[in-house]
Amino acid sequence: MENPIIQQSSTHDEWERELKAFDDTKLGVKGLVDNGVTKVPLIFTKFQASKASSPPSEDEFLQVPVIDLGLIGNSSKDTGGVARKDIVTKVRQACEKYGFFQIVNHGIPQEILDEMKEGTRRFHEEPNDVKKVYYSRDRLKKVRFTSNYDLYQAKAANWRDSLISLMLPEPPKPEEFPETCRDITICYSEYAYKLGLTLFELLSEALGLKPKHLEEMECAQGMFLLSHYYPACPEPDKTIGNKAHTDPNFLTILLQDHTGGLQVLVENRWIDVKPVEGALVINIGDLTQLISNDKFKSIKHRVLAPGATPRISVACFFTTNTMYPTNRLYGPIKEILSEENPAIYRETTIKDFTIQFDLRLGMTPTLEYYRI
Ligand code: OGA
Ligand code: NI
């Protein structure tokens, strides 16, 4: 069936109408694919020139580090805490150079990871009438299905749909989740939160601070899940799954399936974050770059559009965003500053930071706005 929104448009009004028509379907990108679209509609293609602007890395062995957390609890006197120290060193090096690493033996059982991916698939592949009910652009709604949070502001839309679940500080009621992924979303969140606390300990230690420093700064106070579905795409070269951006949070724990397509920009080259069975991808967000005074890097990343196989990923974001505004000010951590390392950023609230990020849509670095 011919979809009304795929007709090419040239004027601003037509462009707006296409966006609105797409939004009004309440079925996201998958709805287009289900409708038999054979060409990528214009709203997903325009201004995607940046996609080719940085060549892929020729060094196929260049990889973000994979860190084994298996011996993390080993800080006993008889080993002199060597194992944990070694992990902290690896985390520090990864955060300084790549802002990205993968972890294995992280304590979340494989069945939980698999079921979280399956639950995400079940939701996105549910019949239209069930899914539509959850479609919303209301940012205060704790559980909602949406496609392209910046649909009306971005220069082009991403080939991606998402179920958003705001889990902390005030979780939704169980009945607010779609039945297809209710139990696993609640269960996975608990595991992800615990892992998040462990990661904040490692990051604190890697900054030379006491283990609970970042937790006490309330970096883990807010947490939400983005259960992404990147539908099969008829022309993957014409669009992108998720355009290049940095994450406007403290930390992201990402569960990706085996499909691939996630890339990070290292030394101006895109390198693949290759799926590793059982691993989780960890990345530093802008707020951690700010509080670490640039020691840890928030690195640009993107997701290519898939071909014939849909891609599933679940991103767990640590930030209170704009939903739960707190007055707490975040600036470079005093304990790590010195005469040689003076503060290079102004203080900000998380809410203000998120507003500034949204104004820039992650296209120009928000951190520059706060640079002294
Ligand atoms: C994100 C993100 C990557 C992915 O949600 O910010 O970068 O693989 N996701 O879906
Ligand atoms: Ni991201």
Side-chain angles (χ1 to χ4, degrees), residues 11 15 17 32 70 88 100 142 175 250 255 302-303 317 360 371:
T11 69
W15 176 266
R17 267 203 300 280
L32 299 175
V88 170
F100 261 82
K142 287 190 182 168
E175 57 271 26
F250 289 105
L255 167 63
R302 67 180 187 184
V303 180
F317 269 46
R360 291 166 182 76
R371 202 175 276 277

Side-chain angles (χ1 to χ4, degrees), residues 242 245-247 252 283 301 317:
N242 187 2
H245 67 283
T246 57
D247 290 351
T252 305
N283 70 278
H301 51 286
F317 269 46

Side-chain angles (χ1 to χ4, degrees), residues 153-183:
Q153 295 85 33
K155 289 182 175 167
N158 291 325
W159 194 261
R160 179 183 74 169
D161 299 329
S162 312
L163 178 70
I164 305 175
S165 312
L166 310 183
M167 301 305 298
L168 289 174
E170 291 157 19
K173 293 189 200 73
E175 57 271 26
E176 290 179 64
F177 295 96
E179 216 180 312
T180 39
C181 57
R182 177 181 300 152
D183 294 351

